[in-house]
């Protein structure tokens, strides 16, 4: 692999932003195409640090940010992209393509946040709620809340990005939503905090974002996948030892380094809070995450069959992570 990485813009169906390599035609086939489910943000800073570490080991790649997770999943299923970013459990079960997860990127650490109209999850029975995307992590959380609490949300509306849903709350366009740890903390530390409640939520260990690819592609690109998984694992382990490593290793000329200064200044706080809250597994999830996912996404209605009847190997390919853990 060549040690080249030059940014440019690329567009494919449904994409809203892309970073890519400008490589000679003969080398283009060696470039890993990564489908992100959102545009670069503070939540993706650790991922981009891992990409930089992988690049230093010879990995050539390009990334494309899609407007939502479903488009990113479809891009991998269609073969437009090699590796996806999301939790495609329903797609894995219904598709004939052998899609497998190889690394848990983050857990479903999300929080129901409402105006003062509501004080408990039960109060949301029949009430409208704002979520990230149809079939995504917040949608599954809403499904499990309904099952466990014995209630039913009203109309579900979808606005990608926790920060955008916070803006809807602040602007009076919504009274209830589910948002990530970072935006929950920002909102409840802001001067507007007394307008909102964070409702008590049960613990969740299932995956919010995971890295997945076609199993045939994984096996045909074993060396590149190994470099990628090793880089991710090294970043997550270092981050648990010292969350400031993400800010310190963020490339100022990369997509995260180009974010507004106020976001970059909060990276230490974001990753410190995230590690403390258990948002990231320092061992890539593995069998623990796989089992939690099968239980969660079955309860969420995105997998058919009881978790005890489902086979981890139909959804995860653990060999790269097991090798990296040795």
């Amino acid at each position: 692999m060549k040690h080249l990485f030059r940014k440019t813009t690329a567009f494919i169906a449904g994409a809203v932003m892309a970073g890519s390599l400008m490589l000679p035609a003969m080398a283009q086939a060696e470039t890993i195409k990564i489908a992100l489910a959102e545009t670069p943000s503070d939540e993706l800073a650790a991922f981009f640090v891992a990409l930089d570490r992988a690049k230093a080991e010879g990995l050539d790649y390009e990334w494309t940010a899609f407007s939502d997770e479903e488009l990113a999943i479809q891009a991998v299923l269609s073969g437009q992209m090699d590796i996806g970013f999301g939790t495609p459990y329903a797609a894995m079960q219904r598709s004939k393509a052998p899609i497998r997860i190889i690394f848990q990127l983050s857990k479903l650490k999300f929080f129901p946040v409402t105006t003062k109209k509501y004080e408990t999850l039960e109060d949301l029975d029949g009430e409208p709620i704002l979520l990230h995307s149809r079939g995504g992590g917040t949608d599954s959380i809403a499904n499990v809340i309904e099952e466990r609490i014995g209630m039913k949300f009203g109309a579900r509306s979808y606005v990608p990005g926790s920060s955008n849903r916070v803006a809807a709350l602040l602007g009076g366009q919504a009274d209830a939503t589910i948002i990530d740890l970072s935006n929950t903390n920002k909102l409840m530390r802001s001067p507007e905090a007394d307008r909102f409640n964070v409702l008590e939520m049960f613990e969740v260990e299932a995956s919010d974002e995971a890295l997945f690819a076609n199993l045939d592609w994984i096996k045909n690109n074993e060396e590149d996948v190994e470099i990628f998984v090793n880089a991710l694992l090294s970043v997550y382990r270092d981050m648990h030892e010292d969350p400031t490593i993400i800010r310190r290793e963020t490339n100022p000329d990369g997509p995260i380094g180009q974010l507004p200064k106020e976001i970059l200044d909060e990276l230490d706080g974001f990753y410190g809070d995230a590690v403390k809250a258990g948002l990231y597994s320092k061992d890539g999830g593995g069998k623990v995450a796989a089992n939690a996912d099968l239980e969660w996404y079955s309860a969420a209605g995105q997998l058919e069959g009881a978790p005890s009847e489902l086979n981890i190997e139909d959804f995860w390919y653990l060999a790269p992570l097991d090798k990296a853990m040795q």
Side-chain angles (χ1 to χ4, degrees):
M1 288 291 179
K2 296 178 176 62
H3 294 260
L4 296 174
F5 184 72
R6 295 200 293 270
K7 290 273 307 296
T8 187
T9 302
F11 295 93
I12 64 177
V16 296
M17 181 181 293
S20 66
L21 302 173
M22 294 291 288
L23 295 176
M26 291 180 61
Q28 189 66 38
E30 299 178 351
T31 302
I32 291 180
K33 299 184 177 95
I34 303 169
L36 303 183
E38 59 184 281
T39 56
S41 66
D42 51 1
E43 298 177 52
L44 294 183
F47 183 77
F48 276 96
V49 168
L51 283 179
D52 284 341
R53 289 190 183 185
K55 178 184 69 174
E57 295 298 320
L59 189 74
D60 285 332
Y61 64 87
E62 62 182 14
W63 57 266
T64 301
F66 291 81
S67 56
D68 63 41
E69 181 177 312
E70 190 171 340
L71 289 172
I73 292 169
Q74 289 302 318
V76 175
L77 286 172
S78 68
Q80 288 178 296
M81 307 295 282
D82 300 317
I83 293 181
F85 200 92
T87 46
Y89 279 97
M92 284 191 283
Q93 193 172 57
R94 67 172 180 257
S95 172
K96 294 182 180 179
I99 301 299
R100 298 292 185 272
I101 290 173
I102 58 174
F103 196 95
Q104 183 193 66
L105 295 167
S106 62
K107 300 177 187 178
L108 274 169
K109 299 292 184 182
F110 281 71
F111 303 87
V113 178
T114 71
T115 59
K116 290 291 186 177
K117 289 173 61 176
Y118 312 107
E119 295 183 355
T120 68
L121 290 173
E122 289 84 352
D123 294 340
L124 293 174
D125 191 15
E127 297 297 306
I129 190 163
L130 197 59
L131 303 170
H132 176 80
S133 64
R134 193 180 306 276
T138 57
D139 216 23
S140 72
I141 290 173
N143 290 345
V144 177
I145 288 174
E146 289 179 338
E147 181 191 57
R148 293 196 183 183
I149 303 299
M151 47 82 81
K152 187 78 172 177
F153 288 108
R156 298 187 185 192
S157 300
Y158 300 95
V159 174
S162 285
S163 60
N164 293 326
R165 296 195 297 282
V166 168
L169 284 177
L170 291 170
Q173 298 169 315
D175 287 314
T177 188
I178 298 175
I179 58 177
D180 61 21
L181 172 69
S182 175
N183 281 283
T184 299
N185 286 342
K186 288 177 185 176
L187 180 62
M188 301 314 291
R189 292 169 182 167
S190 76
E192 303 292 332
D194 60 356
R195 294 173 50 194
F196 303 100
N197 286 328
V198 179
L199 306 187
E200 186 174 352
M201 179 68 178
F202 43 82
E203 192 70 18
V204 179
E205 293 297 322
S207 302
D208 176 34
E209 299 288 2
L211 209 62
F212 63 91
N214 186 292
L215 182 58
D216 295 333
W217 181 89
I218 295 170
K219 291 182 177 180
N220 289 334
N221 294 270
E222 185 177 353
E223 182 179 347
D224 289 337
V225 172
E226 182 179 335
I227 291 172
F228 202 177
V229 170
N230 283 339
L232 283 163
L233 190 62
S234 72
V235 169
Y236 278 51
R237 286 177 166 177
D238 289 349
M239 178 170 60
H240 275 81
E241 293 296 323
D242 180 6
T244 68
I245 193 73
I246 305 304
R247 173 186 52 79
R248 291 188 283 114
E249 287 198 23
T250 289
N251 180 2
D253 297 320
I256 302 301
Q258 300 302 304
L259 293 175
K261 183 177 183 298
E262 56 268 25
I263 293 178
L264 297 177
D265 288 346
E266 293 179 359
L267 282 182
D268 286 351
F270 170 80
Y271 281 95
D273 287 346
V275 169
K276 184 177 180 180
L279 183 63
Y280 303 111
S281 167
K282 65 180 179 180
D283 58 9
K287 289 183 179 179
V288 172
N291 282 316
D293 286 357
L294 296 188
E295 181 177 351
W296 177 268
Y297 286 102
S298 293
Q302 294 183 31
L303 281 174
E304 295 182 4
S308 60
E309 299 173 350
L310 298 173
N311 186 352
I312 287 177
E313 294 180 354
D314 290 336
F315 303 95
W316 279 68
Y317 182 61
L318 294 166
L321 184 57
D322 288 344
K323 186 175 182 179
M325 293 285 289
Q326 293 175 358

